[in-house]
Structures are given as C-alpha cells and as structure tokens.
Amino acid sequence: MAGVLSNAATTSKSSAMDVSPRIVWVLLITALFLIVGCAPAPTESVDPEFERLTKRAERVEIIRDDFGVPHIYAKTDADAVFGLLYAQAEDDFPRVERNYYWAIGRLAEAEGEDALMSDLRARLYMTTEDAIAAYESAPAWLKSLCDAFADGLNYYLATHPDVEPKVIREFEPWMPMFFFEGSIGGDIEQIPLGGIRAFYGENNDDSVARTATLEPTDWEPRGSNGFAISGEHTRSGNAMLLINPHTSFYFRGEVHVVSEQGLNAYGAVTWGQFFVYQGFNEHTGWMHTSTRVDFIDEFIEDVFEEDGELKYRYGDEVRPVEVREVSLKYRRISEERDGLAERSYTTYHTHHGPITHSIDGRWVATKINWDPVNALRQSYLRSKQDGHEGFREMMDIRTNSSNNTVYADSSGNIAYYHGNFVPRRDPNFDFSQPVDGSDPATDWQGLHTVDEVITVLNPQNGWLQNCNSTPFTAAGSFSPKKEDYPRYMAPDPENFRAVHALALLEDIDDVTLDGLIELAHDTRLPAFNALIPGLIDAFDRQSVSTESLAAAIDVLRGWDYRVASDSVAMTLAHFYASRFLREGDAPNELSRMDKLIYLGSETEDQDRLSNLAATLSSLESDYGSWNTPWGEINRFQRITGDIVHPHDDDAASLAVPMASGRWGALASYGAKRFPGTKKLYGSSGNSFVAVVEIGDKVRAKTVLAGGQSGDPNSPHFDDQVTRYLTKDFKNVAFYRDDVLARAERTYHPGE
C-alpha cells in the first residue's frame, strides 16, 4: 500500500549543509582537497567533534525489522539513547524538531507572531538559563543521557545535509529539561493561552479574566484506555496489558531500545524523547492514561506598588514580585522564513509561580509541577524496572503529574495508580477554584505519599481498567471508595468508554492476545443506548411526521448500537448526537456522559424530533442523502501532517468501521471535517496500540495508525493502514533472534 493513501508531496529539501558551522567548514575544506587530488591529513580534515560522534555511532547497531521498527543495541544506556534519537530523526525529524521548538518556547520562529503566547507560556516556567542549571544539577548518569540525546540528533543533521531544520540547527543537552514527561504539554498546556494573551499581550487588559477552559462538547476526548488482566482470566495463566493511547495520529513512534546495562524497553516514544513512554520490558508493562487529579492550582495575589517596586502580601509578610525580561523571536509571515523579528515581555512571579492571567483586575499565579530533573529520572527509570517492588519504589519520585498508570508484570501482579504527583492541601478550601494567595493556609503542604493516593494492587476480581474515568470503578466492585479520599484527588467523572469497558471485563475468561484485541475493539456504543431510545419514544408519542423522519426512525429502531462501515444508523446517530450536544439545552455543569443521558431522557419530545429533522436536512445537503452508510463518510487518509498538504475529498481514502470515543467506542477514532472537505477524516484516537502478555517470555502484538515513517516515499509510511482498520496486529520481534529473522536492514548511525 506504500504511497496509495499519501496526499502529500515529499518535504522540500535544500542542498545547503544544515549542521554546525565548524562541520560545514571542515567538510568544505575536505571537498577542496579531494577536488585538487590531495588527500588531507587526518588532523587537518576531520573535525574532532564529528570524529567523536562517528566513533560513538560505531558502538551502536540499529536493526530495522520488516515494518521499519528500529531495534537499537548498544553496550551502554547512553549509547543506546544516541542510537534511539538518531533512529527517531530518520523516521520523522520534522516532528522531533517541532516537539522541541514547541517545548523550549521557539514555536513562533516557525509559525509566526500568533505563536508568541505559546512561547511566552513556556518561558514563564523555565528560561534557557534555568534549563542549563537544571541540566548541570542532574546526576552524572542522567547528564550522560541528555548528552547522548543531543549527540544523536546532531549526528543525524551532520550526516544528512539535505535535511533543513525549521528552527533548531544544533540540539543542546539541556533541552530535555523542557520536555520531561512522555505526553508533551501534559501539564503546561492546561494553562489557557487566552489569559496569558490578555495579561501580557500588546493590548493587555488586566480586568480580563482568563479564557474559559471548557472544551466544546463535541470535541473528541483526549486520553487513553488501559486494561490489566491477571493470569486467572487468561488462557496462558500470564498477566496481560492493553496499551491503548488516544493521541493525535503519528504523535508517537514505535521503538525497541536495548543496552548491556539492563535496558530492554519496547513501546511508544513521543518523538524526540529518550525513554519509552508507554510500553514493556522483559518483566513489566506500563500504560499511562491522562488523569484529572487536581495537580494545578491558581492563587489570587494581593499585588501593590511600594517605593516604585511591585510587591505582594503573604500572611504578615510583604514580598517583592520577581520581575524578569523575556525576549522572543518570531517569523514575519509576509517575508522569507529566516526573516525574524523580536519582541520583549516583562514577566512576573511570586513564590507560587508565574502570573498567568488576571481575574477582575487581580493578578493570578498558576502553580504546577515543575521538577524537570526528577521528572526525567522517573520517566527513564520506569522503563528499567523488573518487578512491582522496584516499580513502586520508582513511583516514590512522584513527578508523573498528568498521568494515571496501569501496570502488569511477569510475576502476575496487576496494579493501578491514580495520578502520582498530588499536592497536599487544606480541605477547608475549594481548590477547584482560584484561592487566596495571601493566605498561607492555601499553600501546598508537600505531596501526598504514594500510599496515600488512590492505588489498587491485585484486586480480587483479577482485572483493572482506566479510560480517563473515575478510579472508583477501576476494579468494579473491588474499587476504592470515594469517601476515603479528598475531592481534589479524584474529581474525574465517569464516561461511556469506562462503562463499556466494565461491561466487557465483568465476563472475561480464557483471554488470549487476539481475544484482547477483539475486546479492545468491541463495536458497541453505549452512549446511544442512552440517547436513541428517547428519540424513538418521542417519535412514537407524536401524531404527525414526515416520510423521511419516519424512515430514519425505522432505521434507528432496528439498530443494535454497534458501529460498522455499512451502517446508515451509525451515520444518523453520530450526526444527531453531535448536533444535540452542540445545540441541545442541557446544564453546563454536567459531564459529557451525563449530558447525553439528559438529552436522551429529560428534553422535550419536540426538541429531539426537531434536532433529528435538522440532522436529516444537513445530511441531505452534504452527502446527497441521509441514507448514507457510515463508511462513505468516515475515512482514513494518510498525510504527513504538513499543513500545506491537507485532507482532500478527491484523494484516495479508506472506509473506517470505528467511531468517536464520545459515544463510548473503546477503539476511539476521532474524525472531523477539515477545510474544504465534507467527509470526516481521522486525526486522533487509536494511534499506537499494543497487547502484551508478560510471563516467562514476553509476547506482544502492536499496530500503528499509518506506519513507522513520516516520509511518503518510505514503504513504511502507510504499510499498517489496512492492518489498523482490520485489527490485524503485527507480532512484536522482542528477542534478538526474532529481530534478526525479520531484519530488513542492519547498520550503524550515519551509514
């Protein structure tokens, strides 16, 4: 299928050498010597830095298997990281680079003035100088990994002069300090840019409250599913793990990284990071789902001016506001890409953190987890644990703030951790709202221990699940009790994905890897059980109807609430529910699941029927008939992600027998219209998916949305598309003999 679904031209390339100036100079001199027929002496022709990197590359072996997955082997962890970053750059350097210029606050240099507030947000929490200091304070072993990160990417650029970075022409070892969690933006991205823009923008208005953080009700849920199943329910008697992140497509690559220092991790890595974020080793498997634990707080500061200086009150004290100057560059959209302008901002900090917005003229500081050295320690050490005891000890670092963790191991243990970084607070205050920063009683009082957070280990039912949902149903009737914990520890609502998972897991038995794949792709959509019967009842209670309305109701009446490509009922239900969520009259404070239940049971009959009539009219207008099978509308089209190559209704695409996680689809497929399209194209949801069995040996199957490579000319750009759509997972080559048997290419970096 290589190239069939591509709707993107090859990324433009430049013949200019895009490496550090010293390497460019040395290579030009070398070329000159070759032209005149003189072989230069090694000391004159070889840059010492390039020679060092080349020797490092010789210590690393990369084996690409028949799906292009890189298996990196080295003696040391640091050399393995060097090879891992080199391999990631081979697969999708543009995404690696973008993740970093986003994280370090240089997005505007690529995307223009509109991105300045994103960059300012990054610099509010850490400057380049802060990042360098953090790197210098790191333990020697972690610094060596950061050095290897920079070496791997810089060696890739040095050996690929046709690759033209947009922003970063030389990577630095302090850069991972900005990018220390596996899910980019897990913490900082929750701070709205609207408030920062209102406070720090050129037309700032201190009376403007921050932009509301509520998402539109018809947005695709962002998160993941994780299941852990003990051996009592599996055919082999070994524990099993479902790793099912729901991210934007092509957000993570699949890797295997091995060293002789105990590293042997396989799974998904966010482009540009040097640790496996969701995956497994020989003895343990770990899956992260996004948490709603309250780990971010807003403090309303009492700021005033005294003797020409800004100060703020804190109890009986008067403290100075820390004032900094931040200069940011941005690309002038109307000029050539390298035409940069610069803008400076004066920023403000209290001991709570940076001022991020104002409410009714009062400055607000937003405090988040920002401990990059320990966060990187935890992210990396997670992948090297050989059992639950070590994994539990690693969790004591307590810097994994935006994630829940679903765990399984070769000893048969299964576990669930709801969050990890949980600030201890005075329960007399409502921390779901901004609190008075001048009152010392509102300050964080350290962190909860891991024993104090919501944890489940080896429940009697033999299974665990989390679908970005409440932990109080994680193990069915053996779940923790809500009344035993402070509210801020688990404000997560229930959702239809978890309802779906619980119904399936209650009856599991004799599970195999293939059976777990089927379980994770069950086609039932429980949201429509709550929404559609009320519509049918409303129709049955009315006395007059149109022919089309009656025909549509007949289709829905015979539906089993399962998604399929040939289902017209799925088309009707999707657009009916989407429209009702946007325009139906339901209380704002309800969760999405409760809104759907409300719309299905508490609204007036006429509201339901008029919404269906409007839905039929829209379908007629957009697709020629409301009687259109779902697969003709819901499509997969592989693109590079470059905005100049958008989705196109006239280009090749494939029908997708999946649905949105909004409706309780476990195999979430977040599809939407793009500019100029009528059809829906998937852009998020199931991305990297793995099922893992952990016993005396590891067995696993995986699939990617699209393929391993971001290059449309690669055979691995779209070689997994059909597998993705048909649940035909590939077998993982984990042990070296299996890797060699499926080797497509073996090489050292730079070859």
Side-chain angles (χ1 to χ4, degrees):
M1 285 213 35
V4 171
L5 298 180
S6 171
N7 187 39
T10 305
T11 305
S12 62
K13 299 188 177 181
S14 168
S15 60
M17 182 75 74
D18 196 3
V19 293
S20 63
R22 62 178 179 274
I23 294 177
V24 174
W25 174 249
V26 169
L27 293 179
L28 289 173
I29 293 296
T30 302
L32 180 61
F33 270 104
L34 293 174
I35 290 171
V36 299
C38 300
T43 57
E44 298 173 338
S45 64
V46 180
D47 175 69
E49 178 69 4
F50 188 78
E51 184 176 32
R52 179 185 71 82
L53 295 178
T54 300
K55 288 182 177 179
R56 181 165 216 174
E58 292 171 355
R59 304 196 297 264
V60 177
E61 180 184 48
I62 301 175
I63 303 175
R64 295 276 182 176
D65 68 23
D66 46 345
F67 287 93
V69 176
H71 303 257
I72 297 100
Y73 296 90
K75 288 185 178 297
T76 68
D77 283 8
D79 282 348
V81 164
F82 171 89
L84 174 61
L85 270 296
Y86 181 93
Q88 288 184 54
E90 286 185 300
D91 285 335
D92 207 329
F93 177 79
R95 291 181 187 273
V96 171
E97 186 199 12
R98 190 187 189 281
N99 279 352
Y100 274 93
Y101 62 67
W102 179 91
I104 66 178
R106 295 180 63 185
L107 182 64
E109 293 180 39
E111 299 186 4
E113 188 176 5
D114 288 346
L116 279 171
M117 291 302 106
S118 174
D119 292 346
L120 181 60
R121 179 175 61 185
R123 300 296 181 89
L124 283 172
Y125 284 92
M126 189 160 67
T127 65
T128 298
E129 292 73 24
D130 294 335
I132 293 171
Y135 162 77
E136 293 294 346
S137 72
W141 68 266
L142 185 58
K143 288 177 69 175
S144 72
L145 300 185
C146 293
D147 294 340
F149 149 85
D151 281 354
L153 292 174
N154 289 333
Y155 190 60
Y156 171 80
L157 290 176
T159 54
H160 291 76
D162 57 336
V163 173
E164 184 177 356
K166 287 187 174 182
V167 174
I168 304 176
R169 300 185 181 278
E170 186 164 358
F171 287 82
E172 301 285 355
W174 48 262
M175 288 180 176
M177 296 298 158
F178 278 96
F179 193 21
F180 46 79
E181 265 206 355
S183 183
I184 185 168
D187 293 1
I188 198 170
E189 209 168 37
Q190 297 191 42
I191 299 168
L193 293 178
I196 294 175
R197 183 175 293 108
F199 189 87
Y200 289 106
E202 289 184 332
N203 299 316
N204 61 320
D205 179 358
D206 288 352
S207 68
V208 178
R210 68 171 186 160
T211 301
T213 59
L214 292 175
E215 295 179 348
T217 52
D218 59 346
W219 277 20
E220 182 65 20
R222 288 173 288 183
S224 307
N225 303 331
F227 299 170
I229 302 171
S230 70
E232 66 186 272
H233 295 301
T234 68
R235 183 171 299 177
S236 65
N238 299 321
M240 289 186 178
L241 183 68
L242 168 68
I243 298 173
N244 187 191
H246 297 162
T247 66
S248 55
F249 287 170
Y250 331 121
F251 182 64
R252 297 193 177 105
E254 184 172 344
V255 302
H256 182 202
V257 57
V258 185
S259 82
E260 295 180 16
Q261 293 181 319
L263 177 65
N264 189 3
Y266 193 109
V269 59
T270 306
W271 295 114
Q273 294 187 312
F274 58 72
F275 52 87
V276 173
Y277 175 58
Q278 292 160 318
F280 56 93
N281 58 36
E282 285 188 282
H283 299 289
T284 67
W286 58 96
M287 168 60 199
H288 294 308
T289 63
S290 298
T291 189
R292 289 200 177 183
V293 170
D294 184 359
F295 57 88
I296 297 177
D297 282 326
E298 297 176 336
F299 296 87
I300 300 175
E301 308 288 21
D302 184 2
V303 178
F304 60 95
E305 188 172 324
E306 182 178 87
D307 298 329
E309 294 185 0
L310 286 173
K311 297 184 179 180
Y312 69 103
R313 290 185 177 84
Y314 180 67
D316 296 331
E317 302 176 46
V318 171
R319 297 183 174 186
V321 173
E322 182 181 351
V323 181
R324 300 179 183 177
E325 295 296 322
V326 175
S327 293
L328 301 172
K329 295 179 180 179
Y330 64 94
R331 181 168 67 91
R332 295 186 182 96
I333 298 296
S334 60
E335 298 183 29
E336 294 298 322
R337 188 171 66 193
D338 57 357
L340 296 177
E342 189 169 298
R343 187 167 298 161
S344 294
Y345 298 89
T346 302
T347 64
Y348 309 96
H349 295 69
T350 70
H351 74 285
H352 292 122
I355 303 299
T356 57
H357 60 285
S358 65
I359 298 177
D360 297 329
R362 303 183 69 187
W363 292 13
V364 182
T366 304
K367 187 176 180 65
I368 66 175
N369 170 32
W370 201 271
D371 186 4
V373 172
N374 282 321
L376 272 176
R377 280 182 57 226
Q378 182 166 1
S379 292
Y380 189 78
L381 291 174
R382 180 187 302 121
S383 65
K384 296 189 69 173
Q385 302 309 312
D386 61 3
H388 186 257
E389 182 178 353
F391 197 90
R392 168 64 181 75
E393 183 178 347
M394 173 275 303
M395 293 291 282
D396 277 331
I397 301 174
R398 292 179 293 171
T399 52
N400 188 13
S401 48
S402 64
N403 293 314
N404 307 314
T405 303
V406 182
Y407 169 92
D409 67 28
S410 59
S411 297
N413 297 303
I414 62 172
Y416 174 69
Y417 296 88
H418 193 71
N420 181 240
F421 173 91
V422 186
R424 190 188 304 277
R425 306 167 174 95
D426 185 335
N428 291 313
F429 297 94
D430 180 6
F431 287 92
S432 67
Q433 301 298 319
V435 295
D436 181 3
S438 68
D439 184 350
T442 63
D443 258 345
W444 291 358
Q445 301 162 18
L447 299 178
H448 283 281
T449 66
V450 176
D451 288 337
E452 291 172 333
V453 303
I454 303 170
T455 304
V456 185
L457 176 64
N458 296 326
Q460 293 182 42
N461 60 331
W463 53 262
L464 291 160
Q465 65 81 30
N466 184 259
C467 300
N468 315 118
S469 46
T470 174
F472 305 123
T473 60
S477 59
F478 298 96
S479 303
K481 304 304 179 187
K482 186 175 184 177
E483 58 270 20
D484 294 339
Y485 300 92
R487 183 182 184 280
Y488 60 74
M489 198 172 279
D492 318 62
E494 190 64 292
N495 62 44
F496 279 118
R497 279 184 290 127
V499 169
H500 191 173
L502 289 165
L504 295 171
L505 290 168
E506 289 287 357
D507 298 322
I508 59 167
D509 188 40
D510 197 35
V511 180
T512 63
L513 285 182
D514 289 337
L516 185 52
I517 292 171
E518 290 296 325
L519 191 77
H521 288 77
D522 186 84
T523 58
R524 281 174 284 187
L525 302 174
F528 295 126
N529 288 79
L531 190 65
I532 299 302
L535 171 62
I536 295 172
D537 289 345
F539 176 84
D540 290 343
R541 284 191 289 263
Q542 57 121 32
S543 57
V544 179
S545 74
T546 65
E547 182 178 341
S548 60
L549 205 66
I553 289 292
D554 282 345
V555 169
L556 290 171
R557 199 188 300 275
W559 189 35
D560 59 2
Y561 307 124
R562 290 182 176 272
V563 60
S565 289
D566 61 356
S567 173
V568 173
M570 181 65 225
T571 299
L572 292 171
H574 174 87
F575 287 98
Y576 172 81
S578 296
R579 182 183 183 88
F580 219 4
L581 272 175
R582 287 194 308 271
E583 302 183 14
D585 187 14
N588 287 331
E589 66 272 13
L590 296 179
S591 70
R592 180 184 287 169
M593 185 177 88
D594 288 338
K595 277 188 177 181
L596 285 165
I597 293 172
Y598 181 94
L599 291 169
S601 60
E602 302 299 326
T603 51
E604 298 293 331
D605 287 356
Q606 186 54 42
D607 291 337
R608 303 174 201 177
L609 295 172
S610 62
N611 185 67
L612 179 59
T615 299
L616 297 180
S617 178
S618 293
L619 289 171
E620 293 278 357
S621 174
D622 290 337
Y623 306 111
S625 171
W626 62 260
N627 197 20
T628 303
W630 178 236
E632 293 184 19
I633 297 172
N634 196 46
R635 310 293 290 181
F636 187 102
Q637 191 173 76
R638 178 67 157 113
I639 62 170
T640 64
D642 189 330
I643 59 173
V644 302
H645 300 295
H647 291 279
D648 183 353
D649 284 344
D650 293 328
S653 64
L654 294 175
V656 179
M658 299 161 67
S660 168
R662 299 195 297 272
W663 319 136
L666 293 174
S668 175
Y669 190 77
K672 61 183 180 181
R673 287 180 178 172
F674 287 82
T677 73
K678 291 291 188 181
K679 296 176 183 177
L680 308 180
Y681 295 98
S683 61
S684 66
N686 274 24
S687 46
F688 167 82
V689 189
V691 291
V692 188
E693 179 185 303
I694 310 176
D696 293 337
K697 297 191 71 174
V698 172
R699 294 179 59 241
K701 293 187 173 188
T702 63
V703 74
L704 283 170
Q708 178 70 18
S709 175
D711 180 0
N713 293 319
S714 168
H716 302 303
F717 177 68
D718 56 7
D719 60 340
Q720 296 184 56
V721 171
T722 301
R723 288 177 174 271
Y724 175 83
L725 298 177
T726 60
K727 303 174 291 185
D728 183 15
F729 282 38
K730 61 188 185 293
N731 290 312
V732 164
F734 184 79
Y735 296 98
R736 187 172 174 89
D737 287 347
D738 297 324
V739 174
L740 292 173
R742 289 172 51 184
E744 187 176 73
R745 181 182 173 217
T746 301
Y747 60 102
H748 300 291
E751 292 180 351

